[in-house]
């Protein structure tokens, strides 16, 4: 396909809206990570692949002379993805801030250099009518973009459909950014298939994330209501353990804390405890007060038997003294 000779006004307007959304779509996620100081559920591989995807995506849009807003999108997308990736290194993998920042800056510099080199190398052949290499670049961009959205599905699978760590404001803005960018391509004189595939892939996979969490909310509506009535969070319910990722060596120590927390909240709310739990607790207290070993029982019996023998011997001695006195 030949480069775009002129860009319609509608394409520029729609592309500008898409670019604005994609320029700020990761800002809510970055702020969300910083506020919570944790990134559990947000895969680092997702952000790194998105940053890498921006390289062929940027080459593809620049060489084909797409409208300016669409050409800016990959550059901003790469920077914001690397910022979020750096946060994951700091909060989830406990890297030092300066080390993670230095690595993120170095990776961004390398990506920018590779993109500039590819643009200078491929623009000439493409202007002369050689297009197979641009098709290859577009395919690589689409594959990296799709692969970047697969790790969240693995996190969702581990939590039985629950989505955590991903900010839904970010996800919605990213979806609409892809939608308006797709409409910008539609309103151009010629529709670019590979460019459109990039945005369609984003919309389909992100829709799946939304649907998964909505289904999870429906399935857990009773548990969430129970937690609300008890005045505790959903994660504090023993039944909610199935929707959490179990950490090695951490499961057993968390269960007693969960029961104690729930019991304390029930007392504070004036709610009655489970009668069976109270009965079992009382039985445990009585058992603890009883001798625990057979050796202890044997010792008590032996002491009692010895006392009886001593009493009988004392009685016989007293009777003999009485006989002598007579």
């Amino acid at each position: 396909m030949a480069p775009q000779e002129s860009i319609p006004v509608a394409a520029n307007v729609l592309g500008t809206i898409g670019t604005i959304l994609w320029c700020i779509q990761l800002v809510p996620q970055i702020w969300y990570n910083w506020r919570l100081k944790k990134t559990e559920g947000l895969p680092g591989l997702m952000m790194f692949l998105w940053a890498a995807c921006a390289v062929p995506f940027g080459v593809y849009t620049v060489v084909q002379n797409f409208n300016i807003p669409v050409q800016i999108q990959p550059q901003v997308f790469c920077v914001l993805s690397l910022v979020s990736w750096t946060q994951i290194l700091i909060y989830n993998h406990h890297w030092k801030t300066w080390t993670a920042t230095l690595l993120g800056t170095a990776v961004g510099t390398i990506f920018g250099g590779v993109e500039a080199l590819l643009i200078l190398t491929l623009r000439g052949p493409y202007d002369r009518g050689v297009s197979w290499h641009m098709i290859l670049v577009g395919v690589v961009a689409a594959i990296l973009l799709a692969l970047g959205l697969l790790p969240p599905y693995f996190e969702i699978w581990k939590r039985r459909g629950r989505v955590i760590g991903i900010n839904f404001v970010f996800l919605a803005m990213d979806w609409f950014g892809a939608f308006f960018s797709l409409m910008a391509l539609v309103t151009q004189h010629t529709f670019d298939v590979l460019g459109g595939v990039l945005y369609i892939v984003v919309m389909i996979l992100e829709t799946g994330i939304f649907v998964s969490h909505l289904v999870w909310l429906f399935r857990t509506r009773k548990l969430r209501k129970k937690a609300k009535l008890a005045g505790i969070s959903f994660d504090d319910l023993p039944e909610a353990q199935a929707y959490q990722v179990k950490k090695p060596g951490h499961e057993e120590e968390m269960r007693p804390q969960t029961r104690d927390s729930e019991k304390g909240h029930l007392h504070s709310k004036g709610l009655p405890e489970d009668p069976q739990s109270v009965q079992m607790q009382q039985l445990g207290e009585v058992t603890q007060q009883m001798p625990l070993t057979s050796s202890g029982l044997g010792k008590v019996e032996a002491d009692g038997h010895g006392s009886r023998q001593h009493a009988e011997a004392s009685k016989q001695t007293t009777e003999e003294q009485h006989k002598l006195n007579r």
Side-chain angles (χ1 to χ4, degrees), residues 123-142:
R123 175 173 277 168
Y126 186 74
D127 291 341
R128 293 191 295 269
V130 181
S131 60
W132 66 267
H133 52 268
M134 290 310 303
I135 295 176
L136 179 61
V137 168
V139 169
V140 170

Side-chain angles (χ1 to χ4, degrees), residues 178-190:
F179 173 78
F180 282 107
S181 297
L182 178 63
M183 292 300 101
L185 295 181
V186 171
T187 54
Q188 291 184 158
H189 296 304
T190 54

Side-chain angles (χ1 to χ4, degrees), residues 164-241:
I164 67 169
I166 298 178
N167 185 272
F168 285 101
V169 176
F170 141 68
L171 205 62
M173 293 174 64
D174 195 64
W175 191 95
F176 281 106
F179 173 78
F180 282 107
S181 297
L182 178 63
M183 292 300 101
L185 295 181
V186 171
T187 54
Q188 291 184 158
H189 296 304
T190 54
F191 179 78
D192 182 75
V193 177
L194 288 177
V197 168
L198 292 174
Y199 300 118
I200 293 173
V201 167
V202 171
M203 294 170 63
I204 291 176
L205 292 179
E206 290 183 342
T207 298
I209 296 175
F210 279 116
V211 172
S212 175
H213 195 67
L214 289 175
V215 171
W216 178 83
L217 289 175
F218 178 78
R219 290 171 55 198
T220 60
R221 62 192 185 279
K222 294 181 179 179
L223 290 178
R224 290 183 290 107
K225 183 178 180 181
K226 178 181 178 181
K228 185 178 180 181
L229 291 175
I232 59 178
S233 67
F234 174 81
D235 292 330
D236 289 333
L237 283 176
E239 299 92 330
Q241 298 297 319

Side-chain angles (χ1 to χ4, degrees), residues 3 21 28-29 42 77-78 82 106 133 155-156 178 196 234 239 242 273:
L21 288 172
Q29 182 66 57
L42 180 65
F77 187 58
C78 181
L82 285 176
H133 52 268
E155 297 292 332
I156 292 171
F234 174 81
E239 299 92 330
E273 296 183 19

Side-chain angles (χ1 to χ4, degrees), residues 102-117:
L102 184 62
L103 179 61
T105 303
V107 172
T109 303
I110 294 172
F111 283 173
V114 171
E115 181 179 341
L117 181 62

Side-chain angles (χ1 to χ4, degrees), residues 70-144:
V70 173
Q71 292 184 33
I72 295 175
Q73 282 180 0
Q75 324 311 326
V76 179
F77 187 58
C78 181
V79 172
L80 294 179
S81 297
L82 285 176
V83 170
S84 184
W85 178 63
T86 302
Q87 288 182 316
I88 294 172
L89 293 178
I90 296 172
Y91 298 136
N92 199 38
H93 298 285
H94 309 293
W95 282 43
K96 293 182 179 179
T97 302
W98 68 270
T99 305
T101 303
L102 184 62
L103 179 61
T105 303
V107 172
T109 303
I110 294 172
F111 283 173
V114 171
E115 181 179 341
L117 181 62
L118 288 175
I119 291 173
L120 294 174
T121 303
L122 300 178
R123 175 173 277 168
Y126 186 74
D127 291 341
R128 293 191 295 269
V130 181
S131 60
W132 66 267
H133 52 268
M134 290 310 303
I135 295 176
L136 179 61
V137 168
V139 169
V140 170
I143 291 175
L144 289 175

